[in-house]
Amino acid sequence: MAQTVIEVRGLRNQFGAHVVHDGLNLDVYRGEVLGVVGGSGSGKSVLLRTIAGLQRQAAGTVRMLGVDNQTATEAELAVQSRRIGVMFQDGALFSSLSVAENVELPLKSVPRLAPETRRALARLKISMSGLPWSAGDKYPAELSGGMRKRAGLARALALDPEILFLDEPTAGLDPIGAAAFDTLIRKLSRTMGLTVFLVTHDLDTLYAVCDRIAVLAEKRVLVTGPIDDMLKVDHPWVQEYFQGPRARAARDTIATRPRRE
């Protein structure tokens, strides 16, 4: 039986009078790549930030890696934060720091880690993200959009996380760059044993990378399951999203190559 590493029950998120989620339930299993989709305003990124501990919910419980974010001590939350990595949509790199310095930042939280070891680990993560070593000396403004995303990924991987959160990782990339990033994510999830929580609108990514899909609609998780199950869901948004022209094109594209490379 798959181990549950994230358990969300009765989640409510709201900003003032605006309710984003209400009664949301979700389980994420160890080692899977879960793709989270939903229409504009469904709160995909809000859900990611809540689970990752970057904001507090109005009600409900979130347990990640056995820790309840409402009852945990500051020390427990600090330990938990070192077991996850987060890559934001725009990379969220510090513009005044080089790529290598950005990747080193999380490593500075590791006690008694020598500076030379920290630098070596940062270079390793940069290489793992598919960037050339020379990119470590560049500043974010000197990188292309795709390279900034990979630099953000390298920083998210700095502490060898158990769970990796990705917010729209292929947004803004050309089709070739997006496909290469999909392949990288699938490879890393397999070789590192990562659990990946992936917010995306990219149908190619859903077909190429994800083990299961969670659909956000009506302020909750409407349905979860393998992507083939989405074709059977009797809901207008789900049918339009997974059976429309773009979905058919994505299925045709993925059909021409192995799903997991």
Side-chain angles (χ1 to χ4, degrees), residues 21-257:
H21 304 129
D22 194 13
L24 185 151
N25 299 318
L26 179 66
D27 290 323
V28 183
Y29 306 120
R30 183 172 295 281
E32 77 169 338
V33 180
L34 178 75
V36 179
V37 301
S40 178
S42 61
K44 301 181 293 295
S45 295
V46 172
L47 178 60
L48 181 154
R49 292 177 63 85
T50 303
I51 295 174
L54 301 175
Q55 64 184 48
R56 284 296 183 97
Q57 66 267 29
T61 61
V62 176
R63 290 182 63 85
M64 181 168 61
L65 298 169
V67 177
D68 187 322
N69 71 346
Q70 294 283 63
T71 61
T73 65
E74 290 297 322
E76 288 173 328
L77 291 174
V79 171
Q80 185 194 63
S81 70
R82 292 196 289 270
R83 299 172 69 187
I84 69 172
V86 183
M87 175 190 158
F88 298 100
Q89 185 175 156
D90 59 358
L93 300 171
F94 291 98
S95 60
S96 61
L97 301 179
S98 69
V99 168
E101 290 168 336
N102 268 281
V103 178
E104 281 187 57
L105 278 179
L107 293 165
K108 291 183 177 180
S109 67
V110 180
R112 297 181 296 279
L113 186 63
E116 59 270 20
T117 303
R118 191 172 64 231
R119 287 191 291 271
L121 286 171
R123 296 288 180 176
L124 173 62
K125 303 305 180 181
I126 290 168
S127 178
M128 288 172 60
S129 73
L131 288 172
W133 275 41
S134 59
D137 297 323
K138 296 183 180 298
Y139 289 86
E142 301 176 285
L143 303 178
S144 67
M147 292 178 75
R148 283 195 298 273
K149 285 180 181 290
R150 288 177 182 263
L153 176 62
R155 186 174 64 182
L157 294 172
L159 294 173
D160 291 329
E162 296 175 49
I163 303 176
L164 181 63
F165 292 89
L166 304 175
D167 193 359
E168 297 283 7
T170 59
L173 298 182
D174 63 80
I176 295 174
F181 205 97
D182 287 343
T183 300
L184 175 63
I185 293 303
R186 192 69 218 182
K187 179 180 179 182
L188 289 172
S189 72
R190 184 177 65 247
T191 58
M192 297 179 67
L194 289 169
T195 302
V196 181
F197 185 100
L198 190 160
V199 169
T200 187
H201 68 277
D202 192 327
L203 282 153
D204 286 340
T205 296
L206 295 177
Y207 275 96
V209 176
C210 298
D211 298 298
R212 287 195 307 142
I213 311 298
V215 178
L216 295 187
E218 301 171 10
K219 302 179 183 178
R220 59 190 175 90
V221 174
L222 183 71
V223 62
T224 60
I227 195 164
D228 290 343
D229 289 1
M230 300 299 109
L231 303 176
K232 308 168 189 174
V233 177
D234 185 18
H235 185 278
W237 188 89
V238 179
Q239 288 189 352
E240 182 178 0
Y241 188 81
F242 287 99
Q243 299 192 44
R246 294 183 67 185
R248 291 195 295 271
R251 288 198 296 272
D252 292 343
T253 298
I254 298 303
T256 63
R257 66 177 189 265

